[in-house]
Amino acid sequence: MTTQKDTWTIAGREFTSRLMVGTGKYASFQQTAEALEASGAEIITVAVRRVNLDRSKESLLDYIDTKKYTLLPNTAGCYTADDAVRTCRLAREAGMSDFVKLEVLGDEKTLFPDNEELLKAARILVKEGFTVLPYTSDDVIMCRKLEDIGCAAVMPLGAPIGSGLGIRNPYNLRIILESVRIPVIVDAGVGSASDAAIAMELGCDGVLMNTAIAGAQDPIAMARAMRLGVEAGRLSYKAGRIPRKLYANASSPLDGMIA
Amino acid sequence: MHVTLNGELTDIAEGSTVAGLLEHLQLHRERVAVEVNLDIVPKVAYDGHGLADGDRIEIVHFVGGG
Protein backbone atom coordinates (compact mmCIF):
# COMPACT_ATOMS: atom_id res chain seq x y z
CA MET A 1 0.00 0.00 0.00
CA THR A 2 2.80 2.38 0.87
CA THR A 3 4.07 2.33 -2.69
CA GLN A 4 0.66 3.00 -4.20
CA LYS A 5 0.13 6.33 -5.84
CA ASP A 6 -1.72 8.67 -3.51
CA THR A 7 -2.32 11.80 -5.49
CA TRP A 8 -5.11 14.31 -5.08
CA THR A 9 -6.64 16.91 -7.33
CA ILE A 10 -7.77 20.51 -7.04
CA ALA A 11 -9.98 21.65 -9.89
CA GLY A 12 -8.68 18.85 -12.10
CA ARG A 13 -5.00 19.49 -11.35
CA GLU A 14 -3.16 16.58 -9.81
CA PHE A 15 -0.73 16.96 -6.92
CA THR A 16 1.37 14.50 -4.94
CA SER A 17 2.46 16.57 -1.95
CA ARG A 18 -0.28 17.34 0.54
CA LEU A 19 1.73 20.03 2.24
CA MET A 20 1.21 23.55 0.96
CA VAL A 21 3.48 26.24 2.29
CA GLY A 22 3.62 30.00 2.48
CA THR A 23 6.59 32.12 1.48
CA GLY A 24 6.33 34.90 4.08
CA LYS A 25 8.44 35.77 7.12
CA TYR A 26 11.68 34.03 6.09
CA ALA A 27 15.04 35.61 6.88
CA SER A 28 16.01 35.72 3.19
CA PHE A 29 14.86 34.62 -0.25
CA GLN A 30 17.60 31.99 -0.15
CA GLN A 31 16.17 30.55 3.05
CA THR A 32 12.68 30.62 1.54
CA ALA A 33 13.90 28.58 -1.42
CA GLU A 34 15.68 26.04 0.78
CA ALA A 35 12.66 25.61 3.05
CA LEU A 36 10.37 25.10 0.04
CA GLU A 37 12.72 22.45 -1.28
CA ALA A 38 12.88 20.67 2.08
CA SER A 39 9.09 20.77 2.46
CA GLY A 40 8.49 18.95 -0.81
CA ALA A 41 5.53 21.29 -1.39
CA GLU A 42 4.15 21.71 -4.89
CA ILE A 43 1.76 24.54 -4.11
CA ILE A 44 3.13 27.69 -2.50
CA THR A 45 1.29 30.82 -1.47
CA VAL A 46 2.41 34.35 -2.28
CA ALA A 47 1.00 37.78 -1.51
CA VAL A 48 0.21 40.58 -3.96
CA ARG A 49 1.79 43.91 -3.07
CA ARG A 50 2.93 47.15 -4.68
CA VAL A 51 6.38 46.93 -6.22
CA ASN A 52 8.84 48.95 -4.20
CA LEU A 53 10.03 51.67 -6.51
CA ASP A 54 12.94 52.83 -4.34
CA ARG A 55 14.61 49.64 -3.27
CA SER A 56 16.46 46.74 -4.82
CA LYS A 57 14.68 45.05 -7.69
CA GLU A 58 15.50 41.63 -6.25
CA SER A 59 12.34 39.59 -6.16
CA LEU A 60 11.06 36.40 -4.58
CA LEU A 61 10.52 34.98 -8.05
CA ASP A 62 14.28 35.23 -8.74
CA TYR A 63 14.63 32.38 -6.24
CA ILE A 64 11.63 30.26 -7.13
CA ASP A 65 11.21 28.03 -10.15
CA THR A 66 7.69 28.85 -11.26
CA LYS A 67 7.66 25.75 -13.46
CA LYS A 68 8.21 23.56 -10.43
CA TYR A 69 5.73 25.20 -8.06
CA THR A 70 2.10 26.14 -8.49
CA LEU A 71 1.79 29.68 -7.17
CA LEU A 72 -1.28 30.34 -5.07
CA PRO A 73 -1.65 34.11 -4.65
CA ASN A 74 -3.52 35.15 -1.54
CA THR A 75 -5.69 38.10 -0.60
CA ALA A 76 -4.06 38.49 2.79
CA GLY A 77 -4.79 41.82 4.41
CA CYS A 78 -8.11 42.29 2.62
CA TYR A 79 -11.07 43.17 4.85
CA THR A 80 -13.76 43.61 2.20
CA ALA A 81 -14.99 41.51 -0.70
CA ASP A 82 -14.20 44.38 -3.07
CA ASP A 83 -10.55 44.55 -2.01
CA ALA A 84 -10.20 40.77 -2.21
CA VAL A 85 -11.72 40.60 -5.69
CA ARG A 86 -9.52 43.45 -6.89
CA THR A 87 -6.44 41.67 -5.50
CA CYS A 88 -7.41 38.41 -7.21
CA ARG A 89 -7.81 40.12 -10.56
CA LEU A 90 -4.36 41.67 -10.20
CA ALA A 91 -2.93 38.30 -9.13
CA ARG A 92 -4.35 36.62 -12.21
CA GLU A 93 -2.80 39.25 -14.43
CA ALA A 94 0.57 39.03 -12.65
CA GLY A 95 0.74 35.24 -12.54
CA MET A 96 -1.38 34.24 -15.52
CA SER A 97 -3.17 31.62 -13.40
CA ASP A 98 -6.70 31.36 -12.01
CA PHE A 99 -5.69 29.82 -8.67
CA VAL A 100 -6.34 32.08 -5.69
CA LYS A 101 -6.34 31.66 -1.95
CA LEU A 102 -9.25 33.83 -0.91
CA GLU A 103 -9.14 35.31 2.53
CA VAL A 104 -11.34 38.13 3.71
CA LEU A 105 -10.51 39.05 7.25
CA GLY A 106 -12.88 40.34 9.87
CA ASP A 107 -10.61 41.50 12.61
CA GLU A 108 -6.92 42.37 13.04
CA LYS A 109 -6.52 40.71 16.39
CA THR A 110 -7.93 37.29 15.52
CA LEU A 111 -7.56 37.37 11.72
CA PHE A 112 -10.74 35.31 11.66
CA PRO A 113 -12.61 35.37 8.36
CA ASP A 114 -15.51 37.72 7.70
CA ASN A 115 -17.88 35.06 6.43
CA GLU A 116 -20.36 37.44 4.86
CA GLU A 117 -17.69 39.19 2.78
CA LEU A 118 -16.02 35.88 2.01
CA LEU A 119 -19.17 34.44 0.45
CA LYS A 120 -19.73 37.63 -1.52
CA ALA A 121 -16.18 37.59 -2.92
CA ALA A 122 -16.30 33.85 -3.64
CA ARG A 123 -19.48 34.25 -5.71
CA ILE A 124 -17.94 36.99 -7.86
CA LEU A 125 -14.63 35.18 -8.35
CA VAL A 126 -16.18 31.83 -9.28
CA LYS A 127 -18.33 33.64 -11.84
CA GLU A 128 -15.18 35.23 -13.27
CA GLY A 129 -13.59 31.83 -13.72
CA PHE A 130 -11.20 31.79 -10.79
CA THR A 131 -10.23 28.57 -9.02
CA VAL A 132 -11.11 29.70 -5.51
CA LEU A 133 -9.57 28.17 -2.38
CA PRO A 134 -11.16 30.03 0.54
CA TYR A 135 -9.71 30.35 4.02
CA THR A 136 -12.71 29.89 6.24
CA SER A 137 -13.89 29.26 9.78
CA ASP A 138 -14.09 25.60 10.81
CA ASP A 139 -17.82 25.82 10.26
CA VAL A 140 -19.60 23.16 8.25
CA ILE A 141 -22.41 25.46 7.14
CA MET A 142 -19.90 27.94 5.70
CA CYS A 143 -18.01 25.12 4.00
CA ARG A 144 -21.17 23.78 2.40
CA LYS A 145 -22.08 27.23 1.16
CA LEU A 146 -18.60 27.68 -0.31
CA GLU A 147 -18.88 24.32 -2.04
CA ASP A 148 -22.31 25.23 -3.42
CA ILE A 149 -20.93 28.49 -4.80
CA GLY A 150 -18.36 26.48 -6.74
CA CYS A 151 -15.14 26.82 -4.75
CA ALA A 152 -12.47 24.27 -5.65
CA ALA A 153 -11.63 23.42 -2.02
CA VAL A 154 -12.35 24.67 1.48
CA MET A 155 -9.58 25.68 3.84
CA PRO A 156 -10.86 25.76 7.42
CA LEU A 157 -8.55 27.08 10.09
CA GLY A 158 -7.13 24.78 12.74
CA ALA A 159 -6.50 27.77 15.02
CA PRO A 160 -5.84 31.51 14.44
CA ILE A 161 -3.29 32.38 11.74
CA GLY A 162 0.26 32.28 13.10
CA SER A 163 -0.88 31.13 16.55
CA GLY A 164 0.70 27.68 16.46
CA LEU A 165 -2.10 26.41 18.71
CA GLY A 166 -2.66 23.32 16.58
CA ILE A 167 -5.95 21.65 15.64
CA ARG A 168 -8.29 23.14 18.25
CA ASN A 169 -11.50 21.56 17.05
CA PRO A 170 -10.93 18.21 15.37
CA TYR A 171 -14.65 17.38 15.68
CA ASN A 172 -15.63 20.35 13.54
CA LEU A 173 -13.11 19.26 10.93
CA ARG A 174 -14.55 15.74 10.98
CA ILE A 175 -18.03 17.08 10.37
CA ILE A 176 -16.75 19.21 7.50
CA LEU A 177 -14.94 16.20 6.02
CA GLU A 178 -18.17 14.21 6.10
CA SER A 179 -20.19 17.02 4.58
CA VAL A 180 -18.34 18.31 1.53
CA ARG A 181 -17.00 16.53 -1.53
CA ILE A 182 -14.30 19.07 -2.47
CA PRO A 183 -10.83 18.87 -0.86
CA VAL A 184 -10.54 20.03 2.75
CA ILE A 185 -7.25 21.72 3.54
CA VAL A 186 -6.40 22.85 7.04
CA ASP A 187 -5.12 26.39 6.69
CA ALA A 188 -3.64 28.13 9.72
CA GLY A 189 -2.92 27.17 13.29
CA VAL A 190 -0.40 24.39 12.86
CA GLY A 191 2.62 24.75 15.14
CA SER A 192 4.48 21.47 14.96
CA ALA A 193 4.77 18.35 12.84
CA SER A 194 2.42 16.46 15.18
CA ASP A 195 -0.26 19.09 14.53
CA ALA A 196 0.13 18.49 10.79
CA ALA A 197 -0.11 14.74 11.37
CA ILE A 198 -3.30 15.19 13.42
CA ALA A 199 -4.91 17.15 10.59
CA MET A 200 -4.01 14.44 8.11
CA GLU A 201 -5.10 11.62 10.42
CA LEU A 202 -8.53 13.22 10.56
CA GLY A 203 -8.70 12.64 6.82
CA CYS A 204 -7.99 16.14 5.58
CA ASP A 205 -6.71 16.30 2.02
CA GLY A 206 -3.90 18.71 2.77
CA VAL A 207 -2.39 21.21 5.18
CA LEU A 208 -1.28 24.77 4.48
CA MET A 209 1.16 26.55 6.77
CA ASN A 210 3.66 29.36 6.84
CA THR A 211 4.62 30.66 10.28
CA ALA A 212 5.19 27.17 11.74
CA ILE A 213 8.05 26.70 9.28
CA ALA A 214 9.32 30.24 8.74
CA GLY A 215 9.20 31.07 12.44
CA ALA A 216 10.95 27.91 13.64
CA GLN A 217 14.50 28.23 14.95
CA ASP A 218 15.65 26.09 12.04
CA PRO A 219 13.12 26.61 9.25
CA ILE A 220 14.77 24.13 6.88
CA ALA A 221 14.66 21.33 9.46
CA MET A 222 11.06 22.21 10.34
CA ALA A 223 10.10 22.15 6.66
CA ARG A 224 11.34 18.58 6.47
CA ALA A 225 9.61 17.71 9.75
CA MET A 226 6.33 19.05 8.36
CA ARG A 227 6.78 17.06 5.19
CA LEU A 228 7.24 13.89 7.22
CA GLY A 229 4.42 14.80 9.60
CA VAL A 230 1.98 15.23 6.72
CA GLU A 231 3.13 11.99 5.10
CA ALA A 232 2.94 10.09 8.40
CA GLY A 233 -0.50 11.44 9.16
CA ARG A 234 -1.78 10.59 5.71
CA LEU A 235 -0.43 7.04 5.89
CA SER A 236 -1.81 6.60 9.37
CA TYR A 237 -5.24 7.74 8.17
CA LYS A 238 -5.19 5.39 5.23
CA ALA A 239 -3.83 2.47 7.25
CA GLY A 240 -6.81 2.63 9.63
CA ARG A 241 -6.01 3.05 13.29
CA ILE A 242 -7.02 0.63 16.04
CA PRO A 243 -10.12 1.46 18.05
CA ARG A 244 -9.55 3.24 21.34
CA LYS A 245 -10.23 0.99 24.35
CA LEU A 246 -10.33 1.74 28.02
CA TYR A 247 -8.46 -1.36 29.18
CA ALA A 248 -5.27 -3.16 28.18
CA ASN A 249 -4.96 -5.81 25.51
CA ALA A 250 -1.68 -7.79 25.75
CA SER A 251 0.57 -7.83 22.71
CA SER A 252 2.44 -11.03 23.65
CA PRO A 253 0.74 -14.47 23.58
CA LEU A 254 -0.51 -15.92 26.84
CA ASP A 255 0.13 -19.52 25.59
CA GLY A 256 3.48 -21.06 26.41
CA MET A 257 4.19 -19.15 29.59
CA ILE A 258 6.82 -20.94 31.70
CA ALA A 259 4.69 -21.03 34.82
CA MET B 1 2.88 65.22 -16.35
CA HIS B 2 1.91 64.02 -12.91
CA VAL B 3 0.48 60.63 -12.07
CA THR B 4 -0.10 58.86 -8.79
CA LEU B 5 2.13 55.80 -8.92
CA ASN B 6 1.63 53.29 -6.11
CA GLY B 7 0.24 56.06 -3.96
CA GLU B 8 3.06 58.57 -4.65
CA LEU B 9 2.68 61.65 -6.80
CA THR B 10 5.23 61.07 -9.56
CA ASP B 11 6.44 63.05 -12.55
CA ILE B 12 6.63 60.98 -15.75
CA ALA B 13 7.40 61.91 -19.35
CA GLU B 14 4.58 63.27 -21.47
CA GLY B 15 3.23 60.60 -23.80
CA SER B 16 4.41 57.66 -21.67
CA THR B 17 2.86 54.27 -22.18
CA VAL B 18 2.53 51.49 -19.61
CA ALA B 19 5.31 49.59 -21.42
CA GLY B 20 7.54 52.66 -21.37
CA LEU B 21 6.92 53.23 -17.67
CA LEU B 22 7.79 49.60 -16.82
CA GLU B 23 10.96 49.86 -18.85
CA HIS B 24 11.89 53.11 -17.13
CA LEU B 25 11.34 51.42 -13.76
CA GLN B 26 13.29 48.34 -14.90
CA LEU B 27 10.40 46.00 -14.15
CA HIS B 28 9.74 42.72 -15.97
CA ARG B 29 6.32 42.89 -17.56
CA GLU B 30 5.83 39.14 -17.04
CA ARG B 31 6.07 39.53 -13.28
CA VAL B 32 3.81 42.48 -12.61
CA ALA B 33 0.21 43.49 -12.94
CA VAL B 34 -0.77 47.05 -13.74
CA GLU B 35 -3.95 48.86 -12.87
CA VAL B 36 -4.77 52.31 -14.24
CA ASN B 37 -7.67 54.15 -12.61
CA LEU B 38 -8.86 50.86 -11.07
CA ASP B 39 -8.94 49.01 -14.40
CA ILE B 40 -6.42 46.26 -15.05
CA VAL B 41 -4.34 46.78 -18.16
CA PRO B 42 -3.79 43.39 -19.84
CA LYS B 43 -0.17 42.60 -20.65
CA VAL B 44 -0.90 42.58 -24.38
CA ALA B 45 -2.07 46.19 -24.14
CA TYR B 46 1.02 47.60 -22.36
CA ASP B 47 2.61 48.95 -25.54
CA GLY B 48 -0.46 50.74 -26.75
CA HIS B 49 -1.82 52.01 -23.44
CA GLY B 50 -1.00 55.70 -23.16
CA LEU B 51 -0.93 57.34 -19.74
CA ALA B 52 -2.58 60.66 -18.99
CA ASP B 53 -2.00 63.43 -16.48
CA GLY B 54 -3.71 62.56 -13.20
CA ASP B 55 -3.83 58.80 -13.80
CA ARG B 56 -3.75 56.62 -10.74
CA ILE B 57 -1.43 53.73 -11.46
CA GLU B 58 -0.83 50.64 -9.36
CA ILE B 59 1.99 48.25 -10.19
CA VAL B 60 1.97 45.09 -8.10
CA HIS B 61 3.93 41.85 -7.98
CA PHE B 62 4.20 38.72 -5.86
CA VAL B 63 5.98 38.88 -2.53
CA GLY B 64 6.40 36.34 0.24
CA GLY B 65 3.13 35.59 1.99
CA GLY B 66 1.13 32.87 3.70
Side-chain angles (χ1 to χ4, degrees), chain A:
Chain A
M1 198 223 74
T2 52
T3 54
Q4 265 177 16
K5 204 170 117 180
D6 181 32
T7 59
W8 61 305
T9 58
I10 302 174
R13 286 176 68 173
E14 192 175 54
F15 299 98
T16 303
S17 171
R18 291 169 181 275
L19 173 58
M20 301 156 71
V21 296
T23 55
K25 296 186 182 173
Y26 286 95
S28 65
F29 289 140
Q30 184 60 39
Q31 190 188 55
T32 313
E34 286 172 29
L36 293 182
E37 182 67 33
S39 76
E42 294 167 315
I43 301 172
I44 61 172
T45 61
V46 292
V48 180
R49 292 291 181 269
R50 285 173 166 167
V51 296
N52 197 319
L53 301 169
D54 311 324
R55 274 198 239 140
S56 142
K57 294 290 185 287
E58 195 171 56
S59 135
L60 172 68
L61 294 191
D62 293 333
Y63 289 80
I64 287 167
D65 182 355
T66 51
K67 289 189 189 73
K68 182 172 167 185
Y69 298 106
T70 296
L71 295 189
L72 181 62
N74 68 28
T75 59
C78 291
Y79 285 82
T80 64
D82 286 349
D83 278 351
V85 168
R86 185 181 173 197
T87 302
C88 288
R89 289 173 182 152
L90 284 165
R92 174 152 70 180
E93 189 58 31
M96 309 308 282
S97 155
D98 292 329
F99 267 54
V100 286
K101 169 182 161 175
L102 176 63
E103 53 178 284
V104 188
L105 304 172
D107 171 74
E108 278 176 35
K109 195 169 179 182
T110 62
L111 299 179
F112 282 146
D114 181 325
N115 293 335
E116 195 178 356
E117 292 293 302
L118 181 67
L119 290 170
K120 192 173 147 195
R123 281 192 193 97
I124 296 169
L125 291 167
V126 167
K127 240 178 236 162
E128 293 187 11
F130 284 92
T131 298
V132 181
L133 287 77
Y135 157 70
T136 171
S137 321
D138 57 349
D139 173 341
V140 68
I141 308 303
M142 267 304 289
C143 289
R144 270 201 213 125
K145 286 185 181 184
L146 290 163
E147 180 178 43
D148 290 344
I149 285 170
C151 291
V154 284
M155 306 208 292
L157 53 85
I161 292 173
S163 69
L165 288 173
I167 310 301
R168 291 294 83 210
N169 200 334
Y171 304 103
N172 271 13
L173 291 177
R174 277 176 58 185
I175 293 171
I176 292 167
L177 284 160
E178 285 186 8
S179 306
V180 301
R181 293 170 302 277
I182 50 178
V184 177
I185 300 158
V186 166
D187 178 8
V190 166
S192 65
S194 56
D195 293 335
I198 286 168
M200 295 310 295
E201 282 186 322
L202 287 168
C204 293
D205 296 277
V207 181
L208 198 168
M209 65 182 75
N210 188 347
T211 308
I213 296 175
Q217 286 188 28
D218 183 343
I220 317 298
M222 188 58 90
R224 182 166 148 70
M226 290 301 183
R227 175 188 195 152
L228 296 172
V230 167
E231 284 179 12
R234 175 67 184 170
L235 275 176
S236 173
Y237 168 70
K238 288 190 78 183
R241 60 153 299 145
I242 58 164
R244 289 181 173 86
K245 283 179 297 212
L246 189 57
Y247 292 103
N249 184 359
S251 300
S252 304
L254 295 175
D255 288 348
M257 295 284 291
I258 53 170

Side-chain angles (χ1 to χ4, degrees), chain B residues 27-43:
Chain B
L27 294 169
H28 293 291
R29 64 165 67 194
E30 298 77 25
R31 288 192 185 171
V32 298
V34 179
E35 203 188 64
V36 177
N37 303 327
L38 296 177
D39 286 324
I40 286 177
V41 182
K43 289 189 199 298

